[in-house]
Amino acid sequence: MLANPIPWPDGARCAVAITWDMDADSGLNWYNPDRADNLVASQSQTRYGPLIAIPRLVKLLKERGMRQTFFIPGWCIETYPAAIDALLSGDNEIALHGYIHERPNELSAEDELYWLQRGIESFRKHIGVRPRGWRAPSFAFSKHSLGYLIGEGFFYDSSLMGDDVPYRLRHESGTLIELPCDMALDDWPHYMHNRDFRTMMPIASPRRAGEVFRAEFDSAWRHGALWVGVWHPFVSGRLSKLDAVVDLIDYMQAKGGVWFATCEEIARHVQALIDAGTWQPREERLPLYDSPIPALKKR
Amino acid sequence: MLANPIPWPDGARCAVAITWDMDADSGLNWYNPDRADNLVASQSQTRYGPLIAIPRLVKLLKERGMRQTFFIPGWCIETYPAAIDALLSGDNEIALHGYIHERPNELSAEDELYWLQRGIESFRKHIGVRPRGWRAPSFAFSKHSLGYLIGEGFFYDSSLMGDDVPYRLRHESGTLIELPCDMALDDWPHYMHNRDFRTMMPIASPRRAGEVFRAEFDSAWRHGALWVGVWHPFVSGRLSKLDAVVDLIDYMQAKGGVWFATCEEIARHVQALIDAGTWQPREERLPLYDSPIPALKKR
Amino acid sequence: MLANPIPWPDGARCAVAITWDMDADSGLNWYNPDRADNLVASQSQTRYGPLIAIPRLVKLLKERGMRQTFFIPGWCIETYPAAIDALLSGDNEIALHGYIHERPNELSAEDELYWLQRGIESFRKHIGVRPRGWRAPSFAFSKHSLGYLIGEGFFYDSSLMGDDVPYRLRHESGTLIELPCDMALDDWPHYMHNRDFRTMMPIASPRRAGEVFRAEFDSAWRHGALWVGVWHPFVSGRLSKLDAVVDLIDYMQAKGGVWFATCEEIARHVQALIDAGTWQPREERLPLYDSPIPALKKR
Amino acid sequence: MLANPIPWPDGARCAVAITWDMDADSGLNWYNPDRADNLVASQSQTRYGPLIAIPRLVKLLKERGMRQTFFIPGWCIETYPAAIDALLSGDNEIALHGYIHERPNELSAEDELYWLQRGIESFRKHIGVRPRGWRAPSFAFSKHSLGYLIGEGFFYDSSLMGDDVPYRLRHESGTLIELPCDMALDDWPHYMHNRDFRTMMPIASPRRAGEVFRAEFDSAWRHGALWVGVWHPFVSGRLSKLDAVVDLIDYMQAKGGVWFATCEEIARHVQALIDAGTWQPREERLPLYDSPIPALKKR
């Protein structure tokens, strides 16, 4: 079904990037600026991510010989250095996820840049290099984001949903590789029920959520697509959910022909294909609109 | 269970109209007039419709030898001409779905007519004929809609939910054939989770959504009804959902006795039955009320 | 598990009252007083109740030799006389459900009484007798309701949820038999997705909703309880849902030992047990509170 | 998967604490202070807890030889003394759950303390001892809660979600044992649909909710964790839900190696391990923040 099928390494049928947005309590603070200090149960729920789930994930990935991608806000890098160290010890990829889970498209252009640069500063200071990958908190990619990301030297983004395989975002100032997501592969709609986040989903059993994840995987495998899990350590890193994640990985491995990779590896593969002239990604020019479209007004 | 069973062509047990509302980012703009230009992830999610899903659907339908109905806002016809051309190349039906996904019943009578005519103008300019079929964006059919649609020469509507088989809408100025829908056959309640649309559904696996679609189909088949899928290319045209659509079509075909048709074909069949005196549709007079009903006030 | 098991007629294991709230478009008007005249799709969806589902239900019940209870607002009695006649032709029970689906507990005491009496007036005028049974629209039973219902000569209510078997409501002015409900047996949480009602549920397949209904029935059967389905003709009277209702009834009948009855028959059975001294219902005194409870204030 | 596995008594694989928040109509009053007196159906639904479900639960637990923990607001202790007596007759644990289901983290520090002390006063007056255990209503533990609870002599809390096994909360004034919960094991997201609580969940069948509860249990069993059910008598004490609870307990017992205990027994076990130097719980210092974090402001 793909119009522009991408050759995956070693003839793999599809690529799987299991990614984790390690928000910890950053979003809780950003969305409840006047009262998050008082939301102790939600603090405990979200801090479960860096304190409990991350060491567990690091151990699990080492045992499996896997490396995965963790999108982390700068403030979390500062606040949870042990989690960062653990992730790096397993050679996992760390990419940037805002400074404190601010939503770029709800900010002025100036503020968006401020928080982006502050996130980069934290990243560089604690990790020692500049971030190469980006996912906008809440997928809130703005019309200014692409230019800013290119200006700051990012290599890829994973915030958009415009295709089934990697594509390229073109800005007047350069390009970025896009590794697209799908809300069905986010764990939030399946598991999140918390008044402090204004999100009251019915909570699925891991088996039901797994049905969704597997259906997406089976189709990605059949058609040669990219499958990007967007999970949260404090959600999918809890025991029962993580057991289901392990089952899912077992299922994928048993099916065979799956390229498990970090986002950066996938972006590098795409770039290598482009450089070799082997494959050209579809391209989208951004921003699509600079202002509300005139069509909304009566003529 | 039908009080007024309709004879389907060639003795078919039921009629199936798979219809697609190709909204692209029109609704995103209309519902977020001041900030849609900044909602880049939702742009990418919704533009997946014309850019990725439509070519895929066109190819799939050609392979299957099927023609389906696409309800498209005028602004999308202007903005995504390649998708329109592709659809026409497969001889699919294109019908009108507003100008920019405006909700008629939230507009003044004058504005409703303005946007309707602007949609028709786009339709005619790009497609070369006037539209014959209509579905109100968001099913937001107003008390003025019927008169306007008749005035503009429409032949059928598919926005209402008042029966299991086609019926007829009577206005003082004429009539229109109605091909009724059911929210259970819309893909939105099963799959849509997007803050920018204020719609945060738990996301079902395609198999669970398929259970709903099949249950409706099995009952339509048993009783001789019309089954109208109301799907969105950017939702049900994604890989895993479309695989499930194919499974569903296979299931319907295997069951046999199903008349797959475009909406216009169904409406023409109804008209032919009426003209031949073979069958009379149930009729509803609209508008039902011209103003808030007096019964709401204490006497 | 029942503290006060009730003897059902002929040694039945449990009692089943399938009840239908035939709201038609009354609630749509009440909840959208300024714009319901413009909500044509929702009009068509809700009017499906009296126009399509009721004749179908009447036929089905006749074939099955069953009688069921229909709670109907006075305005619907006036507006849909053919539906009322059809129901009466099948000797079904009609009980009152407000005048125009007003929520009593959102009204002043005076207004509540006004609408109640207006509903009774419609009922008596069109049906020829005073109503014997009552269900508050939206279950919105107020602190004044019991007194008013007793004053107007009602015999039973079916709006509360305080037990698994019938109980008795005591007011300073008399008593009423209560036939309690459970939201799990309402079809609304399983099937209703309509913006005009501010209710956007994921839509279950009839099989999933049926799982809930059956689980409740199996427990009612095991323990000797009363099972009250609270369904809406425009929801559960649609083809696929009604097929599932038939399956459920088949299931209940196959299990055996079920007393299918109208609400009034059940209330009469309760009264007969009381009169005979065979069984005493649990009693609750209402209103529980006359005003906001003092405990809410700091001392 | 546990970083700090706890030895359970007699080599048990995991610990199960089935706990019940017997809110009755306390929350209904607190969340609707101006109109709860008028919400009679919700009164009946919530009062089902103390009036119907509690006697049933007490009987069931006696038959099974089990003791469980009931978190009860002080106002409910005053209002439903028979339920309290019944619970005590079965030697069940009663712990405190606020005075009238107030949310501590929405109150001033002074008011939080006022209601806490008023709850303790009710508890002591009616039960004869001071409460040892606490669960914050709605899990709304505030930044002041820990200090207050220690000041009032509490021994454990069960309101947070920060681990899979018991841990310890450290305050400048002392410590408290924490028995963490998980929203997936609350019955609210699976079953609660009530406008008066602004909670409109799709209602799962007990089998579907049971899938979630079992998945969590199976993982707890596999990994040695603590499983804390957070159920409400008026929800999970209804017939069909309670039948499923019994099935779940049967399942747990058949699996074997499960330590069923009250919260206080678990907390005492933890304390004994600490005292014996056998095991040290992870510790968290609270409050985490005294005020909104400075990181939210631009520098």
Side-chain angles (χ1 to χ4, degrees), chain A residues 102-121:
Chain A
E102 71 282 357
R103 290 187 181 145
N105 66 16
E106 297 180 358
L107 299 174
S108 69
E110 183 193 302
D111 280 0
E112 175 178 353
L113 184 58
Y114 167 80
W115 292 108
L116 172 63
Q117 290 179 333
R118 191 159 161 191
I120 294 170
E121 182 191 328

Side-chain angles (χ1 to χ4, degrees), chain B residues 9 53 65-66 72 85-86 111 113 115-116 161 183 194 197 205 223 226 231 244 270 283:
Chain B
M66 298 181 100
I72 310 186
D85 289 348
D111 280 0
L113 184 58
W115 291 108
L116 173 62
M161 305 172 183
M183 276 309 294
N194 184 316
F197 284 87
S205 76
H223 302 295
L226 168 65
W231 298 338
V270 170
E283 200 166 283

Side-chain angles (χ1 to χ4, degrees), chain A residues 37 56 111 208 240 243, chain D residues 143 208 211 216 222 298:
Chain A
D37 58 313
R56 176 179 296 164
D111 280 0
R208 301 281 149 192
S240 68
D243 280 341
Chain D
K143 62 186 171 187
R208 301 280 150 191
E211 256 186 41
E216 298 294 322
R222 184 178 302 130
K298 287 169 73 175

Side-chain angles (χ1 to χ4, degrees), chain D residues 9 67 93 132 155-156 177 179 259 262-275:
Chain D
R67 300 167 56 240
E93 181 193 359
R132 304 262 291 155
F155 175 42
Y156 75 86
I177 291 168
L179 307 178
W259 183 40
T262 63
C263 286
E264 190 173 1
E265 287 168 340
I266 295 171
R268 279 207 308 265
H269 172 66
V270 170
Q271 189 59 50
L273 292 173
I274 297 171
D275 294 345

Side-chain angles (χ1 to χ4, degrees), chain D residues 136-201:
Chain D
S138 298
F139 300 113
F141 201 96
S142 87
K143 62 186 171 187
H144 303 290
S145 299
L146 180 58
Y148 289 162
L149 293 171
I150 290 169
E152 298 294 338
F154 280 86
F155 175 42
Y156 75 86
D157 170 72
S158 183
S159 313
L160 304 187
M161 304 172 184
D163 211 330
D164 311 294
V165 292
Y167 59 112
R168 189 153 60 176
L169 307 176
R170 179 164 294 279
H171 183 261
E172 57 182 24
S173 66
T175 65
L176 210 63
I177 291 168
E178 174 62 35
L179 307 178
C181 304
D182 185 330
M183 277 308 294
L185 294 180
D186 193 304
D187 54 13
W188 211 259
H190 306 295
Y191 294 135
M192 187 63 171
H193 185 100
N194 184 316
R195 218 174 47 247
D196 298 332
F197 284 88
R198 269 71 68 192
T199 300
M200 310 283 275
M201 306 308 296

Side-chain angles (χ1 to χ4, degrees), chain D residues 29-294:
Chain D
N29 277 286
W30 185 262
Y31 303 138
N32 302 281
D34 301 325
R35 54 191 292 269
D37 58 313
N38 219 6
L39 304 175
V40 178
S42 291
Q43 288 170 1
S44 72
Q45 183 189 16
T46 53
R47 283 162 51 89
Y48 182 100
L51 301 181
I52 308 294
I54 288 292
R56 176 179 297 166
L57 277 167
V58 166
K59 189 156 171 285
L60 174 72
L61 295 177
K62 277 184 185 163
E63 287 166 10
R64 293 250 161 184
M66 299 181 100
R67 300 167 56 240
Q68 295 180 349
T69 302
F70 292 76
F71 292 94
I72 309 186
W75 178 80
C76 295
I77 296 173
E78 298 168 11
T79 309
Y80 301 102
I84 305 305
D85 289 349
L87 288 169
L88 293 174
S89 81
D91 202 22
N92 291 289
E93 181 193 359
I94 298 183
L96 195 61
H97 192 47
Y99 176 68
I100 188 163
H101 218 270
E102 70 283 358
R103 290 187 181 144
N105 66 17
E106 297 180 358
L107 299 174
S108 70
E110 183 192 302
D111 280 1
E112 175 178 353
L113 184 58
Y114 168 80
W115 293 108
L116 172 62
Q117 291 180 334
R118 191 157 160 192
I120 294 169
E121 182 190 329
S122 283
F123 193 102
R124 195 168 48 176
K125 191 164 163 199
H126 293 264
I127 299 182
V129 294
R130 293 181 68 91
R132 304 262 291 155
W134 170 260
R135 177 172 294 148
S138 298
F139 300 113
F141 201 96
S142 87
K143 62 186 171 187
H144 303 290
S145 299
L146 180 58
Y148 289 162
L149 293 171
I150 290 169
E152 298 294 338
F154 280 86
F155 175 42
Y156 75 86
D157 170 72
S158 183
S159 313
L160 304 187
M161 304 172 184
D163 211 330
D164 311 294
V165 292
Y167 59 112
R168 189 153 60 176
L169 307 176
R170 179 164 294 279
H171 183 261
E172 57 182 24
S173 66
T175 65
L176 210 63
I177 291 168
E178 174 62 35
L179 307 178
C181 304
D182 185 330
M183 277 308 294
L185 294 180
D186 193 304
D187 54 13
W188 211 259
H190 306 295
Y191 294 135
M192 187 63 171
H193 185 100
N194 184 316
R195 218 174 47 247
D196 298 332
F197 284 88
R198 269 71 68 192
T199 300
M200 310 283 275
M201 306 308 296
I203 297 177
S205 76
R207 198 156 69 83
R208 301 280 150 191
E211 256 186 41
V212 179
F213 300 155
R214 269 170 219 223
E216 298 294 322
F217 168 74
D218 287 338
S219 290
W221 190 90
R222 184 178 302 130
H223 302 295
L226 169 64
W227 185 101
V228 181
V230 180
W231 298 337
H232 299 79
F234 77 80
V235 179
S236 290
R238 289 192 85 102
L239 293 175
S240 67
K241 278 83 171 175
L242 196 57
D243 280 341
V245 167
V246 170
D247 288 347
L248 179 62
I249 292 173
D250 285 344
Y251 173 80
M252 290 170 163
Q253 288 182 329
K255 194 153 183 171
V258 179
W259 183 40
F260 290 91
T262 63
C263 286
E264 190 173 1
E265 287 168 340
I266 295 171
R268 279 207 308 265
H269 172 66
V270 170
Q271 189 59 50
L273 292 173
I274 297 171
D275 294 345
T278 315
W279 180 77
Q280 281 298 324
R282 192 173 66 84
E283 200 166 281
E284 287 221 20
R285 178 167 289 276
L286 289 182
L288 195 55
Y289 309 116
D290 281 325
S291 57
I293 59 174

